[in-house]
Amino acid sequence: MGRLISKIFLKKILDKEKKNNKIVVFTNGCFDILHRGHIRYLRKAKKFGDILVVGLNNDSSVRTIKGSNRPIIPEIERAEILASLNMVDYIVTFSENTPYDLIKFLKPDILVKGADYQVSEIAGSDIVKKNGGKVKRIKLEKGLGTSEIIEIIIKRYKKMKTRSFNNNKRALGKKIV
């Protein structure tokens, strides 16, 4: 199971692990409302190396990227959930819109992102390749996104409220004996 750690302490750990020929894999994201798509993605990312580091957008970063209604789950809770996953070794938060500076600092061996990005669009890909590392893209599964889950919740909740309103209206129309 992983743990939330500062980037300074994490750098020391990773440098030591690299000296022991461990392959460090880095990925990042918001991981708001963790779902099956996230789990499958992280499981695949872990297979590329020995240590999986997850860069987690902090709350202000998520708001900038996703809008003022996000995140749904606060960063400390998202980090705790990620830390409970056996494939995640370390979680480190960042406040920028991209993890570019964090990748530059940590220098992972492998950088992983969803296949919805071209390699040239992946923040830090230039750094990883320059240092002899690799950039891997993982195909995302359709319909398994946080935004889709939020839409489903909104639609179902609206239907539920409408049904509840109609049921209450019918109940009020009945005479009580």
Side-chain angles (χ1 to χ4, degrees), residues 161-171:
K161 284 191 80 139
T162 302
R163 268 190 242 125
S164 177
F165 175 76
N166 289 335
N167 288 342
N168 288 340
K169 230 169 68 173
R170 278 192 293 275

Side-chain angles (χ1 to χ4, degrees), residues 29-83:
C30 300
F31 297 98
D32 194 13
I33 305 182
L34 197 68
H35 54 76
R36 184 179 71 186
H38 289 132
I39 302 299
R40 290 178 177 179
Y41 173 84
L42 292 169
R43 198 176 287 138
K44 289 174 186 174
K46 174 68 175 194
K47 289 180 180 179
F48 291 122
D50 302 302
I51 299 166
L52 178 59
V53 175
V54 176
L56 181 65
N57 293 76
N58 74 5
D59 289 347
S60 64
S61 175
V62 175
R63 276 190 291 279
T64 300
I65 296 166
K66 303 284 187 179
S68 61
N69 290 331
R70 300 278 297 278
I72 302 296
I73 309 295
E75 74 189 69
I76 194 68
E77 293 177 29
R78 290 183 285 125
E80 183 177 343
I81 292 166
L82 285 169

